[in-house]
Amino acid sequence: MLTAPHFALVAADKHVQYLRDTRQRMDTSVRLCVVSLLGALEAVACLVTDGWWLLVALAPYALSYLAYRGAVAAADEYTTAVKTVIDLNRFALYESLNVARPRDTADERRTNEDPCGCRRGNASASFYRKPAPAPTPPGTP
C-alpha cells in the first residue's frame, strides 16, 4: 500500500502502536508456521527409514497447522487494523497535506483515486488550501 507510510506519520501514537502490535502478531505466527513446517520436513527426511519413529514428524506438522490457522486470523486482524487506522486518520492526512477536505463520499473517492495527480503526471491537478496566516501577538505593530 502506497499510502500506509503517510498515515503512519499523521496517526496518533496509540493507533500506530495498535498497527505495530497486530503486524508483530501476524509476523510471529507466520514465522512459527514456516519454522515448524521446516522442522516437520526435516523430521520426515531423517526418520523416513525408521518405521514408527516417523510419527514423531506429526508433532511439528501439527504445530505448523495450528500456527497457519493463527497466521490467517492474525492477517485478518492486521488488515482490519490498517483499514481502521486509515478511517480514523484520513482527515489528519488531508490537514497534513494541506488539501481541502472532500465535501461528500463521492468527492472523497474521486480525490483519493489520485490525490496529487502524480499518476497522470499532472501534479497541478491538486487543490491546495491557503494556510491561515499566523496570528500576531497583541501589541505588535
Side-chain angles (χ1 to χ4, degrees):
M1 177 181 285
L2 298 174
T3 59
H6 296 86
F7 281 104
L9 289 174
V10 298
D13 288 338
K14 64 181 180 177
H15 296 168
V16 174
Q17 187 62 38
Y18 171 63
L19 192 62
R20 194 175 297 135
D21 289 346
T22 55
R23 174 67 188 256
Q24 185 65 38
R25 280 193 291 269
M26 182 182 71
D27 288 347
T28 302
S29 299
V30 169
R31 286 184 186 124
L32 180 61
C33 177
V34 169
V35 168
S36 56
L37 185 60
L38 289 174
L41 292 174
E42 186 175 340
V44 166
C46 291
L47 300 172
V48 73
T49 60
D50 291 335
W52 289 101
W53 282 102
L54 186 59
L55 292 175
V56 170
L58 286 177
Y61 179 76
L63 180 61
S64 177
Y65 175 75
L66 292 174
Y68 169 76
R69 299 293 301 244
V72 169
D76 183 52
E77 183 181 353
Y78 178 67
T79 57
T80 301
V82 170
K83 290 175 189 176
T84 303
V85 168
I86 289 172
D87 288 342
L88 294 176
N89 296 289
R90 68 184 194 269
F91 293 122
L93 182 64
Y94 292 141
E95 293 294 323
S96 181
L97 291 173
N98 205 25
V99 176
R101 286 186 179 189
R103 292 181 302 275
D104 56 16
T105 305
D107 189 29
E108 185 171 15
R109 286 188 182 137
R110 191 173 37 257
T111 302
N112 290 340
E113 286 176 3
D114 192 9
C116 67
C118 300
R119 281 191 234 151
R120 294 185 305 263
N122 183 11
S124 64
S126 296
F127 298 103
Y128 296 106
R129 297 181 291 130
K130 289 185 178 180
T136 57
T140 58

